[in-house]
């Protein structure tokens, strides 16, 4: 819970969403160019949910304590 991990539990997913959205905007923000960021948002939200469930099973009360300390999933 130090450095940028103190801001959000899935800070690396936030960067991925930001980067894919920037790619979509660079390519003129057309419908087709925004399919990639939309796909990434859906995939990463689902992956974050799965990760949360697996960590809850594996770490139990420690994961709950960690979630209280770092309350944001994404930034």
């Amino acid at each position: 819970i130090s450095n940028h991990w103190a801001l959000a539990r899935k800070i690396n997913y936030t960067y991925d969403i930001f980067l894919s959205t920037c790619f979509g905007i660079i390519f003129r923000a057309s419908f087709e160019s925004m399919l990639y960021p939309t796909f990434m948002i859906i995939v990463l939200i689902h992956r974050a949910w799965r990760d949360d469930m697996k960590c809850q099973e594996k770490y139990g009360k420690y994961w709950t304590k960690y979630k209280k300390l770092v309350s944001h999933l994404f930034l």
Side-chain angles (χ1 to χ4, degrees):
I1 55 173
S2 61
N3 297 329
H4 61 275
W5 294 105
L7 301 174
R9 293 190 304 267
K10 299 295 180 187
I11 194 80
N12 54 326
Y13 292 177
T14 304
Y15 298 144
D16 290 338
I17 291 170
F18 177 73
L19 183 65
S20 63
T21 303
C22 287
F23 284 147
I25 291 170
I26 287 171
F27 294 110
R28 304 177 194 252
S30 65
F31 173 74
E32 292 84 8
S33 67
M34 294 309 287
L35 287 176
Y36 176 62
T38 304
F39 170 76
M40 287 299 290
I41 289 169
I42 292 169
V43 165
L44 292 175
I45 288 174
H46 182 260
R47 186 179 293 168
W49 176 75
R50 278 190 342 222
D51 290 348
D52 189 55
M53 293 298 174
K54 288 180 181 180
C55 288
Q56 186 64 48
E57 285 179 22
K58 185 174 183 177
Y59 300 112
K61 66 179 181 176
Y62 299 111
W63 184 251
T64 304
K65 183 179 176 183
Y66 173 68
K67 285 177 25 176
K68 286 180 184 175
L69 291 171
V70 183
S71 59
H72 292 86
L73 185 60
F74 300 111
L75 189 62

